[in-house]
Amino acid sequence: MRPRGGSRNSKTGPRPFGALAWALPPVIALALFFLYPLALVVRQSLRPDTGGTSLQAYADVFGSEAFRHALWTTVWLALAATAGCLVLGFLLALVIAFVPFPGARSVARFIDVYLSFPSFLITLALLFLYGGTGVLGSFQFLTTPWGVLLAEVTYFTPFMMRPLLAAFAQLDTAQLEVAGSLGARAPRIVRQVILPEALPALAAGGSLVLVLCLNEFGIVLFTGAKGVTTLPMLVYGKAILESDYPGACAVAVVNVLISVGLYGLYRVVSRRAGA
């Protein structure tokens, strides 16, 4: 007998038209608020002030000493800050996860709140402490590349700690107890038991921090570091100070391409790490 109210050809899955209707609003919003402005930047980079379409802006940018200096500064600052965040974040996460002390859970929760802070807030705090009229004295290194590096490591370390704490929370503590009962000391336990389990989180967190450091603008701007020009600062200088909009857009396109490439690397690492 055929069930009442049913049909032999009825389908329980969603109709293609219904799925398309649900997909259209986010696609339209993405196109209007992200792809369209990005297309305008690319178009402006191909239109010099003399009119027409040309790659002259890219030729001028790639041939300038300022671009090469900004690219080198951006890369080494991002790599150095990522390395510092890897080391410091791993050590701090170890203490919070495995060293019992009052308030450890509150500190772990504060890290989640810290991630919402703007980067310039941390920079201002460092200036209040170590700046020209700082509470702890005046340290001129804050206006040097080392000051920018310190601010970036300070700000981005919690971004490294968050995936590490999540990975440590899933670690089987029985392995640590067995290793300790066999006479292994803390450094050996960290090296042979904890570190292998933390490698995926370190890779995922390091890739994310590298992308964020590559595009950091507020820290460099608020430190006022002399001679420190990164790619975002070069875009700002060409657009606001020089009114060279084709050149600024050309540098922005290069910065976007580098960022997208690194973000793709981050996604691959995160997927393999299960993060």
Side-chain angles (χ1 to χ4, degrees):
M1 294 179 63
R2 185 180 301 174
R4 293 183 179 182
S7 174
R8 182 176 298 178
N9 296 326
S10 62
K11 297 181 180 180
T12 59
R15 297 180 179 181
F17 178 76
L20 181 62
W22 281 104
L24 275 178
V27 170
I28 293 175
L30 179 65
L32 288 177
F33 296 105
F34 178 74
L35 296 180
Y36 178 66
L38 183 60
L40 291 179
V41 171
V42 175
R43 186 182 69 173
Q44 182 65 41
S45 69
L46 298 174
R47 291 190 175 183
D49 297 333
T50 56
T53 301
S54 173
L55 295 174
Q56 187 60 41
Y58 289 93
D60 293 341
V61 165
F62 292 150
S64 66
E65 180 66 25
F67 172 77
R68 292 192 292 270
H69 174 73
L71 180 61
W72 165 245
T73 303
T74 303
V75 170
W76 86 257
L77 273 177
L79 291 176
T82 301
C85 291
L86 281 169
V87 176
L88 185 60
F90 181 72
L91 294 177
L92 293 177
L94 275 178
V95 173
I96 295 175
F98 299 110
V99 179
F101 65 92
R105 183 172 299 179
S106 299
V107 172
R109 291 178 179 176
F110 175 75
I111 291 174
D112 294 332
V113 179
Y114 182 93
L115 299 181
S116 64
F117 291 173
S119 58
F120 70 85
L121 184 63
I122 304 303
T123 307
L124 286 178
L126 291 176
L127 290 175
F128 287 147
L129 288 175
Y130 307 111
T133 58
V135 176
L136 301 180
S138 177
F139 294 87
Q140 298 299 325
F141 77 91
L142 284 179
T143 58
T144 68
W146 303 110
V148 176
L149 181 61
L150 172 64
E152 290 190 352
V153 171
T154 302
Y155 178 69
F156 289 112
T157 293
F159 289 81
M160 181 68 65
M161 295 172 61
R162 191 65 192 87
L164 284 172
L165 290 175
F168 291 160
Q170 299 177 358
L171 183 64
D172 187 6
T173 56
Q175 301 180 31
L176 306 180
E177 296 174 356
V178 170
S181 64
L182 294 176
R185 296 183 178 274
R188 185 175 181 181
I189 294 176
V190 171
R191 186 176 63 254
Q192 296 185 355
V193 180
I194 298 178
L195 183 59
E197 297 293 332
L199 285 179
L202 283 170
S207 301
L208 176 61
V209 169
L210 182 62
V211 173
L212 295 175
C213 290
L214 186 74
N215 296 287
E216 181 53 42
F217 174 74
I219 287 178
V220 183
L221 180 65
F222 273 80
T223 54
K226 299 177 181 179
V228 180
T229 302
T230 59
L231 289 179
M233 286 294 294
L234 186 62
V235 173
Y236 174 80
K238 284 186 171 294
I240 304 301
L241 304 179
E242 303 176 17
S243 298
D244 181 11
Y245 296 108
C249 290
V251 177
V253 170
V254 174
N255 198 5
V256 168
L257 291 177
I258 297 175
S259 301
V260 170
L262 287 177
Y263 180 75
L265 175 64
Y266 162 70
R267 293 298 302 171
V268 171
V269 172
S270 298
R271 191 179 300 113
R272 292 184 177 181

